[in-house]
């Protein structure tokens, strides 16, 4: 069983509302080159399909009006957290996903007035090629956790730098 826990400080706690929305609307995944369909707000029991942009951080190539992305698999949301000081969700992979397990995405404010993101995962390779790759699969999962966290940090920085009127409008 591969276990992963990745933390990143995102800045001051007043950014929590923006981070909450990014996590609960899949913007965190999109910021890391993972497209989610359907891209509706996260809810318990929701089933989503994930696809990876292999050219991230650039946009994927297009062919006949479609993005050329790599199918990762499907997941079901098994837990949603939406509280005044923390928000996020856990999904469990479904058969056919590249990994078999669960992953949690959580943003929270601490008593120190800081906002953080924590990404945790417990999984085993779900595809025969990943099983054969062993440590490479673990490195890939760790790389994705960093991409998610850094993508969220960039989203918050971009939102915070825009004028207040542009954010409301």
């Amino acid at each position: 069983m591969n276990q992963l826990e990745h933390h990143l400080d995102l800045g001051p706690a007043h950014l929590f509302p923006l981070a909450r929305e990014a996590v609960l609307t899949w913007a965190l995944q999109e910021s890391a080159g993972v497209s989610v369909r359907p891209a509706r707000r996260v809810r318990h029991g929701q089933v989503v399909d994930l696809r990876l942009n292999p050219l991230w951080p650039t946009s994927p190539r297009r062919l006949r009006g479609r993005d050329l992305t790599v199918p990762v698999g499907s997941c079901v949301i098994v837990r949603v957290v939406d509280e005044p000081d923390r928000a996020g969700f856990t999904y469990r992979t479904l058969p056919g996903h590249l990994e078999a397990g669960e992953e949690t995405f959580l943003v929270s404010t601490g008593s120190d007035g800081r906002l953080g993101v924590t990404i945790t995962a417990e999984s085993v390779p779900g595809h025969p090629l990943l099983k054969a790759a062993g440590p490479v699969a673990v490195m890939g999962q760790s790389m994705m956790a960093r991409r998610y966290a850094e993508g969220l940090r960039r989203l918050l920085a971009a939102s915070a730098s825009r004028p207040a009127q542009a954010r409301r409008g």
Side-chain angles (χ1 to χ4, degrees), residues 48-63:
V48 294
D49 294 319
L50 306 175
R51 298 184 70 86
L52 180 65
N53 171 10
L55 301 177
W56 182 89
T58 62
S59 297
R61 299 267 188 252
R62 294 186 62 83
L63 180 65

Side-chain angles (χ1 to χ4, degrees), residues 99-133:
E99 297 282 337
E102 290 188 352
E103 192 163 21
T104 300
F105 304 89
L106 186 69
V107 291
S108 60
T109 59
S111 58
D112 61 354
R114 302 297 293 172
L115 172 67
V117 60
T118 302
I119 299 163
T120 57
E122 289 188 1
S123 65
V124 295
H127 189 278
L129 290 176
L130 288 179
K131 289 177 186 175

Side-chain angles (χ1 to χ4, degrees), residues 4-8 28 31-32 34 103-105 117-121 137-153:
L4 166 85
E5 187 164 331
H6 183 78
H7 301 281
L8 182 66
L28 179 146
S31 74
V34 176
E103 192 163 21
T104 300
F105 304 89
V117 60
T118 302
I119 299 163
T120 57
V138 174
M139 288 185 335
Q141 193 171 43
S142 181
M143 177 200 67
M144 285 307 301
R146 287 191 309 275
R147 275 173 55 168
Y148 288 134
E150 285 295 328
L152 180 57
R153 186 187 59 73

